[in-house]
Amino acid sequence: MKKRKRSDRDQRFRAFPSVEQSALKEYEKLESRTRRVLSNTYQKLIQSVFLDDSIPSGIKYLINRLLALIEKPSLDPIYIGLFGSTGAGKSSLINAIIQQAMFLPVSGEGVCTSCIVQVSSGCCDQYEAKIHFLSDQEWKEELKNLTKLLHRTEELGSEEDAWDRDDAVEEALWKLQMIYGNGAESKNYEELLKAKPKGKIPTSKIITLKAEKAEELSVKLDPYIRAQRKGYNAESAGPQIWPLIKCVEVILPKSEVIPEGVVLVDIPGTGDFNSKRDEMWKKTIDKCSVIWVISDIERVSGGRAHEYLLNESIKASQRGFCKDIALVVTKTDKLQLPEYLRERKVGNQAIQSQREAVLERNETLKLQRSQILKEKLKRKLPADSKVLEASDLVHTVSAQEYWQQAFLTEEETEIPKLREYIRKRLLDKKRRMVTKYVTEAFGLLLLTDSFNSTDNLQNEYLHMSGLRRFVEEKIQLLEMTINQCFAHIEWPLQEGVKNAKSSYRQILSRCLVRSKGNQGFHQTLKAVCLKNGIYASRTLTRIDLNEAITQPIYDQIDPVFGGIFRSGKVTGSALMPHIDAFKHSLQEKMTDIGIRNGWKYDSCKKSFLIQEINAILGGLEEHVLRKKRRIYESLSNSVQNDLKSCYEEAAQITGKKACERMKDVIRRGVDRQVAEGMFERAQEQMQHQFQQLKSGITEKVKGSISTMLTLASSQGVGLYKELADVKSEYKEMEKLHRSLREVAENAVLRRGMQEFLLRMSPSKVSPLPSTQL
């Protein structure tokens, strides 16, 4: 059994080179042994209080903390979002990274990826996929909106209001025909409710597919994630139920290239007309810690799609967990050599081959786009943001050359470089997680063992009143500091509101005017109104009137907002560094009191308190990150709520000049709400959300630290009782804690040896000329 477990663990690390495998195995071993010690301690504590009528609160605290640590996930997945428009090469890139050619359907002339697809590796022996469907209620809501869009009034008059088959209508037709077949567009909502979809939908709303080989699962997956594009015959495509699918999860067995714990997410388009899928689209982006904006080489210069997606990615870093953004330029093997040589403006060296031209073009592109991207990020994010510290803001890749290697080597396609980035990010996260986990466990075992100690009892239950007063004063100071941090947003908010009030009409006009007049826009505008100001097309740029008219406010607050929620050095506006400073001041005070009052003879209490402060305040960062999305979106959400009645009124308009009448209703509704203080209400809503965050932080700190101090207080004689002996667990935990430094030193030593051997290796020579490849 032990050999099998060791073999399974080794299989999980196959994606890593030997040096990194060794480090991971040591961290895994540390974590596993720590969990075993915690489980043994927990069982002993439970047994010692099992028959008690009442359990002292101190013991309850310990039991709950032990259980929380035991049940804590080994490692939260790292989500890497591939964010790009249809045909940009996302699926091809994922196929190359996971070493499975044509595994996910590749967008071609007639097909594209239909939904969000998550790809990860696991410890399973088979290839597995889970298809998640919309609930009946979620589909009914979309069906009602689709039929409203397709409703054809008999009062249509002028040519500009005629049935013009714009994007919204085409998409509605497309979806209904895929589900119900040709002729579905002529049926009303009630008739379609009674109709049966062409494909079979399970009552569980989940389909699980399994296969021994990647090719087999790919064939099974195809009908669910490959969507026929508009204009292709729905009947000839066969049964397709992709409009009913929410998302797809794919799990690879024991991958040699993608480590367990990493999830690659194919995020197609700019959202979805279905509310649930659109919400999932946004939440998926927000939970990604890394976003790669994918754009092919022919659209990266001058194309608007990747610029929009890049802006969405920057917003995700403001409101979500994203800490790294990069532009990944795909299909870089495409180059017409005669044209390139004619237009070439850089370099003195003569170009001898296609390979040299591609590499030169790629390097030039990296320099140019990196500078543009860095400038854009600087305008939106704080100057010391971690995103700006990235060494590679732009990658130039070729999935086709990765497989064919007609003139580029595998390394030159940059696929291995992306894999290396993924591995390093996971290894670093694992190292930080295990270090924190072992240290936290050690603090708990220190205190648990001290419960049975009778030596220097009076010294152990020390004078805590001074520490309590100090903590109370520090919490008051923290509250004032948080107020000062959040005060930095007030002036930009006020200026942003002024700018929004002076520019909203021009912005609204740009959103409501099309170069071809109303032709091709009538039903799209209706779709916007049906969805409260938002229309998310699978193929065109997302329309969000609420976000557009609040953009002047976001332009003002973005750098400051990012500054408040950044980590790093203590500055005037940064929240987390001030919380870290608060933590260090408490720990220093505890050390000082401990030395003066006898903790130098038994440091258990001091170590426990210091470790618990780490645990309590360390958990605040995730709480803050979860709340910041609600704060950031409060502006556009407040505006959307104020304009809801206006959108509903506009959505009901039919007949002659319907498009112009809808625009008039929207304009008048926005004017009325602005006059009544719409932007000021949005400002107040954001400030209220900030105050709620402040209250949440201080309440969590007060409650947790108060409980912790009570546990260590001399007042709590009733908190202590004779417990089962945990000295053996304590000694084991002490060894594990000491091992942390040894593991870290071993990792540094191995990495240094590897780098030395690579430098000295005679095989490290320049790539072969293209004629020899």
Side-chain angles (χ1 to χ4, degrees):
M1 181 65 72
K2 284 184 178 180
K3 286 182 179 178
R4 190 182 305 155
K5 286 184 178 179
R6 191 180 301 116
S7 175
D8 288 343
R9 187 175 65 230
D10 292 347
Q11 291 288 318
R12 287 170 54 200
F13 301 144
R14 287 195 304 175
F16 292 88
S18 58
V19 170
E20 293 173 358
Q21 278 190 30
S22 299
L24 275 167
K25 287 174 186 176
E26 288 184 335
Y27 283 123
E28 189 91 350
K29 188 177 178 181
L30 268 177
E31 182 190 347
S32 175
R33 289 171 62 186
T34 299
R35 287 185 186 275
R36 188 173 66 246
V37 171
L38 290 172
S39 295
N40 292 342
T41 307
Y42 176 77
Q43 289 172 12
K44 285 187 175 182
L45 283 181
I46 289 293
Q47 289 170 3
S48 67
V49 298
F50 183 71
L51 297 176
D52 289 4
D53 294 330
S54 62
I55 302 174
S57 58
I59 307 301
K60 281 183 184 177
Y61 182 90
L62 271 180
I63 288 173
N64 289 334
R65 286 286 289 113
L66 283 166
L67 185 60
L69 270 180
I70 291 166
E71 293 180 344
K72 190 174 184 179
S74 180
L75 189 69
D76 291 328
I78 295 175
Y79 287 89
I80 300 178
L82 284 78
F83 193 26
S85 55
T86 300
K90 301 182 299 298
S91 299
S92 298
L93 180 56
I94 291 178
N95 288 340
I97 291 174
I98 67 174
Q99 194 71 21
Q100 297 289 348
M102 302 303 293
F103 180 67
L104 297 179
V106 177
S107 298
E109 185 181 348
V111 295
C112 59
T113 306
S114 63
C115 60
I116 291 171
V117 180
Q118 299 184 1
V119 181
S120 61
S121 68
C123 55
C124 52
D125 294 321
Q126 292 181 307
Y127 291 85
E128 187 176 313
K130 289 185 179 180
I131 293 93
H132 300 266
F133 290 85
L134 296 170
S135 68
D136 291 338
Q137 189 56 43
E138 288 162 355
W139 173 244
K140 284 178 183 178
E141 179 200 336
E142 180 172 9
L143 186 60
K144 186 178 288 185
N145 286 326
L146 291 173
T147 51
K148 282 180 181 178
L149 280 179
L150 293 174
H151 175 66
R152 183 175 183 178
T153 178
E154 295 179 357
E155 300 178 12
L156 288 174
S158 64
E159 185 179 340
E160 68 177 7
D161 286 330
W163 187 256
D164 47 36
R165 291 282 182 98
D166 63 8
D167 182 71
V169 172
E170 287 284 0
E171 187 153 327
L173 282 167
W174 187 31
K175 288 183 176 179
L176 292 183
Q177 289 173 354
M178 285 291 129
I179 298 298
Y180 302 108
N182 288 335
E185 69 276 10
S186 62
K187 297 178 181 178
N188 60 33
Y189 173 66
E190 288 73 20
E191 289 172 326
L192 289 173
L193 274 181
K194 296 174 185 176
K196 286 187 177 182
K198 292 193 297 179
K200 189 176 180 181
I201 313 297
T203 54
S204 65
K205 304 301 179 186
I206 295 178
I207 290 178
T208 301
L209 306 174
K210 292 185 179 181
E212 294 292 331
K213 295 182 179 180
E215 297 83 358
E216 294 174 16
L217 186 67
S218 181
V219 171
K220 292 180 180 181
L221 261 179
D222 203 79
Y224 299 103
I225 58 177
R226 182 191 289 263
Q228 293 292 327
R229 289 189 179 172
K230 291 175 280 188
Y232 279 74
N233 188 292
E235 298 293 342
S236 65
Q240 289 211 346
I241 53 176
W242 62 260
L244 299 175
I245 295 172
K246 201 183 299 184
C247 68
V248 173
E249 294 178 87
V250 179
I251 303 172
L252 311 175
K254 301 183 182 73
S255 172
E256 293 187 0
V257 287
I258 292 299
E260 187 178 339
V262 173
V263 183
L264 298 173
V265 191
D266 185 340
I267 309 174
T270 57
D272 199 281
F273 187 61
N274 177 273
S275 299
K276 194 65 181 179
R277 274 199 301 264
D278 195 56
E279 179 188 350
M280 178 167 282
W281 176 83
K282 209 163 199 176
K283 283 186 176 179
T284 301
I285 295 170
D286 286 349
K287 74 180 178 183
C288 292
S289 56
V290 178
I291 292 180
W292 292 340
V293 180
I294 313 298
S295 180
D296 73 59
I297 189 71
E298 293 177 343
R299 288 188 276 186
V300 72
S301 299
R304 294 185 61 188
H306 84 274
E307 289 294 334
Y308 171 80
L309 296 170
L310 184 56
N311 288 333
E312 280 295 314
S313 303
I314 294 172
K315 288 176 187 174
S317 73
Q318 293 281 35
R319 66 179 182 241
F321 290 85
C322 179
K323 294 183 178 179
D324 200 350
I325 299 171
L327 174 63
V328 179
V329 184
T330 58
K331 308 177 186 179
T332 56
D333 54 283
K334 289 186 177 181
L335 181 139
Q336 295 297 324
L337 187 57
E339 291 181 16
Y340 177 76
L341 293 175
R342 186 176 65 247
E343 297 174 4
R344 184 173 175 244
K345 297 177 181 178
V346 295
N348 297 317
Q349 189 175 353
I351 294 292
Q352 301 292 331
S353 65
Q354 181 89 357
R355 170 181 169 272
E356 290 177 0
V358 166
L359 293 177
E360 182 184 78
R361 189 273 317 274
N362 289 355
E363 196 59 37
T364 302
L365 184 69
K366 280 184 183 180
L367 292 171
Q368 292 173 346
R369 302 309 300 186
S370 292
Q371 187 61 34
I372 293 169
L373 180 52
K374 187 165 283 189
E375 290 301 320
K376 183 181 278 287
L377 292 170
K378 281 180 179 177
R379 288 196 297 271
K380 294 287 185 178
L381 302 175
D384 59 350
S385 174
K386 285 190 175 180
V387 176
L388 292 167
E389 295 173 7
S391 57
D392 293 305
L393 284 174
V394 179
H395 301 274
T396 50
V397 303
S398 172
Q400 182 169 311
E401 273 299 295
Y402 175 76
W403 298 113
Q404 297 179 357
Q405 294 183 32
F407 57 87
L408 293 180
T409 65
E410 184 176 293
E411 291 295 325
E412 288 167 347
T413 67
E414 296 199 21
I415 301 297
K417 188 176 181 181
L418 293 180
R419 287 184 189 146
E420 182 184 9
Y421 168 88
I422 292 170
R423 290 197 306 269
K424 285 184 176 179
R425 196 166 185 93
L426 184 70
L427 181 60
D428 182 61
K429 188 171 183 178
K430 185 71 175 180
R431 175 186 57 78
R432 286 185 281 111
M433 176 265 163
V434 172
T435 301
K436 183 180 177 183
Y437 190 77
V438 173
T439 304
E440 202 171 324
F442 181 52
L444 280 177
L445 264 294
L446 276 169
L447 188 72
T448 307
D449 180 59
S450 74
F451 269 30
N452 286 329
S453 174
T454 57
D455 300 333
N456 293 321
L457 197 59
Q458 293 302 315
N459 284 335
E460 193 174 343
Y461 304 146
L462 297 170
H463 305 289
M464 303 292 286
S465 58
L467 182 56
R468 283 185 180 278
R469 285 196 300 272
F470 178 81
V471 169
E472 288 168 5
E473 290 170 4
K474 281 294 180 180
I475 289 175
Q476 288 178 357
L477 184 61
L478 176 64
E479 198 166 355
M480 291 172 56
T481 304
I482 293 173
N483 278 330
Q484 290 169 2
C485 289
F486 293 168
H488 285 80
I489 204 78
E490 291 178 6
W491 185 83
L493 261 176
Q494 292 170 2
E495 290 301 301
V497 166
K498 289 178 187 176
N499 293 346
K501 290 172 76 173
S502 65
S503 62
Y504 77 90
R505 284 195 178 99
Q506 296 95 308
I507 294 171
L508 199 57
S509 293
R510 286 199 298 270
C511 292
L512 298 179
V513 172
R514 290 295 181 269
S515 58
K516 296 181 180 179
N518 292 335
Q519 187 177 1
F521 188 55
H522 172 206
Q523 298 299 85
T524 297
L525 185 57
K526 187 170 187 176
V528 170
C529 295
L530 284 170
K531 305 301 290 184
N532 292 322
I534 301 171
Y535 175 58
S537 165
R538 297 172 52 78
T539 53
L540 299 181
T541 302
R542 185 183 182 92
I543 299 172
D544 190 334
L545 298 184
N546 313 299
E547 206 169 78
I549 58 180
T550 52
Q551 192 57 49
I553 309 179
Y554 283 114
D555 289 341
Q556 283 289 330
I557 70 166
D558 272 350
V560 179
F561 190 93
I564 289 172
F565 291 101
R566 75 171 177 265
S567 56
K569 61 184 180 182
V570 178
T571 60
S573 64
L575 175 62
M576 290 312 300
H578 282 298
I579 291 175
D580 286 339
F582 167 73
K583 175 183 72 176
H584 294 315
S585 68
L586 291 189
Q587 291 172 337
E588 287 173 6
K589 186 68 174 178
M590 287 170 186
T591 301
D592 180 53
I593 290 178
I595 291 172
R596 285 191 285 108
N597 290 282
W599 281 353
K600 60 186 176 182
Y601 302 112
D602 188 348
S603 63
C604 294
K605 201 76 73 180
K606 178 195 75 175
S607 297
F608 163 74
L609 290 171
I610 288 174
Q611 296 307 330
E612 283 300 280
I613 287 290
N614 264 330
I616 291 165
L617 297 180
L620 276 179
E621 184 171 8
E622 190 173 340
H623 170 76
V624 169
L625 286 173
R626 284 198 305 269
K627 294 294 182 184
K628 80 169 184 174
R629 178 186 177 186
R630 182 179 295 179
I631 297 172
Y632 191 76
E633 293 182 338
S634 62
L635 292 174
S636 56
N637 287 345
S638 175
V639 166
Q640 183 183 46
N641 189 57
D642 282 352
L643 295 177
K644 189 174 182 181
S645 60
C646 153
Y647 293 135
E648 289 173 350
E649 181 185 349
Q652 300 303 316
I653 293 174
T654 60
K656 295 179 179 180
K657 302 284 184 181
C659 193
E660 281 304 321
R661 286 158 55 208
M662 289 167 70
K663 291 179 183 179
D664 287 341
V665 166
I666 294 171
R667 289 190 187 104
R668 282 188 279 105
V670 175
D671 281 340
R672 182 173 63 252
Q673 289 297 330
V674 170
E676 293 174 1
M678 178 177 74
F679 290 125
E680 287 81 3
R681 284 192 296 275
Q683 176 185 347
E684 289 169 6
Q685 184 61 29
M686 177 170 271
Q687 289 171 326
H688 174 68
Q689 293 286 344
F690 270 114
Q691 287 306 306
Q692 281 194 324
L693 176 59
K694 183 200 74 174
S695 300
I697 291 171
T698 52
E699 284 171 14
K700 280 180 177 293
V701 170
K702 284 178 184 176
S704 300
I705 292 181
S706 174
T707 303
M708 180 195 70
L709 291 178
T710 300
L711 182 61
S713 166
S714 60
Q715 302 169 358
V717 176
L719 298 177
Y720 299 86
K721 61 163 286 174
E722 186 175 349
L723 295 173
D725 184 18
V726 293
K727 279 204 176 296
S728 60
E729 285 79 11
Y730 164 67
K731 287 180 179 177
E732 175 71 8
M733 199 65 246
E734 191 176 31
K735 289 179 185 176
L736 294 173
H737 189 253
R738 282 201 304 266
S739 297
L740 274 176
R741 176 175 293 182
E742 184 181 335
V743 171
E745 289 172 351
N746 287 345
V748 172
L749 182 62
R750 288 193 194 99
R751 191 162 56 246
M753 287 296 293
Q754 183 187 43
E755 290 171 357
F756 172 76
L757 291 172
L758 282 173
R759 286 197 303 270
M760 300 301 293
S761 174
S763 62
K764 191 177 180 184
V765 295
S766 57
L768 292 171
S770 58
T771 54
Q772 293 180 258
L773 287 174

